[in-house]
Amino acid sequence: MNESSVQNAVHAAGNALQKSFTTRAPESNKLGKDEFMKLLMAQVTHQDPLNPMDSKGMMDQLTGMGSLEQLVNLNKAVGQLSETQADVLRANTFSFLDKDVTIRGGGVPVNAGQAPALQFAIPRDAESVKLTIVSPQGSPVRELELGAQGPGNHAVTWDGQDAEGKPVPDGFYKYTVAARAKDDAAIPVDMFVRGKVSGVRFEHGRPKLTVNGEDIDMR
């Protein structure tokens, strides 16, 4: 077979591949492994026996194609694993419905002038403890001087009133606790809220639990 015949055969194979591309949907108009193998076989079949193709170049192409296929398969496997993990996360999140939970952080809802207990824990004796309640807008509404407190968990009752004795509007109020020892050194305080999970939703893939009327990030 002369050089002109080889070129014509390869050109015909290329035209056949191009024609197959034009009959496909735009999103699949790509050179895949099947098309690559057809083109390679056309080149091998119609090569000049006196001047064969470079075997090293052919092996490089085959190796590259094999590596690409492995990467594609790996990408698919990772995608399937991510979907499985997302399904497991959703299932675990919905299992919290109607369960009593404890959430780190100081905050309570006020509904119709009523608020649940404000809870915190200190690791050792405190000479003085002060609890500050903050409105949803971020301004202090009430300070409670609790005096000396022992170690452990504590629950403080709040009547839902501000410093002037007026009922505060309904909403979610945060609180902070400052505890000091006899030498005036600050004592670390853990604040927490207890409540029942009444709802579950997802925001940008992150699960949130509805507790005491507020959405809490599951983390």
Side-chain angles (χ1 to χ4, degrees), residues 11 31 33 36 57 74 78 87 113 123 131 146 148 167 169 173 184-185 189 199 205 215 219:
H11 182 69
L31 181 62
K33 61 181 181 180
F36 175 83
L74 179 61
V78 171
D87 291 339
L131 189 150
L146 306 179
Y173 289 75
D184 203 37
V189 180
D215 288 336
R219 293 174 298 174

Side-chain angles (χ1 to χ4, degrees), residues 2 24 27 40 50 61 72 86 94-95 104 107-108 114 121-122 152 154 157 190-191 204-205:
N2 57 34
R24 297 181 180 185
E27 62 272 11
L40 183 62
L50 300 179
Q61 294 181 53
V72 171
F94 283 108
S95 69
R104 185 179 298 277
V108 292
Q114 302 296 318
I122 53 178
H154 299 270
T157 301
D190 286 330
M191 293 165 290
H204 304 298

Side-chain angles (χ1 to χ4, degrees), residues 13 63 68 82 95 100 153 176:
T63 301
L68 177 60
S82 297
S95 69
D100 291 322
N153 296 339
T176 60

